[in-house]
Amino acid sequence: MLFLPHSFRDPKLLDLALTHSSMHSSRDNERLEFLGDAALDLVVAEELFKHHHDLPEGDLTELKAWVVSRKSLAEAAREMELDTVLRIGPGLKERALPRSVLANVYEAVLGAVYLDAGLEAVREFVRVTLKRALEQVRTRSHGENPKQRLQQVCQRDHATLPVYKVVDDRGEAHARAFLVAVEAGDVLYPSAWGRTRKEAEMWAAYEALLVIEGDVSPPDTELAE
């Protein structure tokens, strides 16, 4: 059962948004995903601009990256139970849906909302479905992020700085993804994916902190996937 904060005037848009490319249908949700990604960036940037009057552009960018990360979008998709109605091919049915697929269907549905009812409907959809993530960044202290924390740890323990390495990159220009690992103190820590290199570096730093410090709270230190 879907829990969508939007009633579609054109149900065919929602139907298309829930059709994954693995179905090999004549039409799938990739174009809607592209549109939803752009709308999401605009609306989240607008929300952060209004609520963080004292933050410079760089910090706003980091906060936005965390709100629109695959982790945040995948959680929102699960809460709406999009994973239970998404039409997928046999290959994906054999395993749990990856976070990337869930994040992409969130963006596709958002693109459908935009076509169905415009930007104000998108704003309301984002405010409701990403409420937790938006509230978390509103209470976040200035400049607090895993890359800075890891730098402090490395300087303290090794008298050196962490080094970020791109392990892999995939996708087209509008849907690029980067796999980054961080090396610190001659140790290569678990890698992490991100939709930009900066996003991936933030998640790689978080993965390293999990190993080094154990219990690291994402709401207080994580800024991007």
Side-chain angles (χ1 to χ4, degrees), residues 17 20-22 29-30 33-34 37 40 68-78 82-83 86 88 92 95-109 170-171 175-179 192-195 199 203 225:
H20 191 259
S21 58
S22 61
N29 65 6
E30 287 188 342
E33 177 194 331
F34 168 75
D37 177 65
L40 177 65
V68 304
S69 69
R70 285 179 176 171
K71 179 177 184 294
S72 296
L73 301 188
E75 287 177 353
R78 288 192 188 97
L82 295 179
D83 54 322
L86 177 64
I88 53 178
L92 283 176
R95 55 193 173 96
L97 286 179
R99 182 184 289 172
S100 58
V101 171
L102 292 171
N104 290 346
V105 71
Y106 177 95
E107 291 176 337
V109 170
R170 299 175 185 173
R176 203 71 173 162
F178 295 86
L179 182 65
W193 285 98
R195 292 185 296 179
E199 235 182 75
W203 277 103
E225 184 176 49

Side-chain angles (χ1 to χ4, degrees), residues 44-118:
V44 172
E46 185 180 60
E47 286 289 310
L48 296 174
F49 185 85
K50 289 191 299 185
H51 290 94
H52 295 271
H53 304 287
D54 59 332
L55 292 185
E57 181 269 343
D59 288 343
L60 289 173
T61 298
E62 290 179 351
L63 292 179
K64 180 170 70 71
W66 188 82
V67 175
V68 304
S69 69
R70 285 179 176 171
K71 179 177 184 294
S72 296
L73 301 188
E75 287 177 353
R78 288 192 188 97
E79 288 174 359
M80 288 185 285
E81 298 195 3
L82 295 179
D83 54 322
T84 66
V85 293
L86 177 64
R87 286 184 292 280
I88 53 178
L92 283 176
K93 289 180 180 179
E94 297 174 358
R95 55 193 173 96
L97 286 179
R99 182 184 289 172
S100 58
V101 171
L102 292 171
N104 290 346
V105 71
Y106 177 95
E107 291 176 337
V109 170
L110 194 64
V113 170
Y114 175 76
L115 292 179
D116 190 63

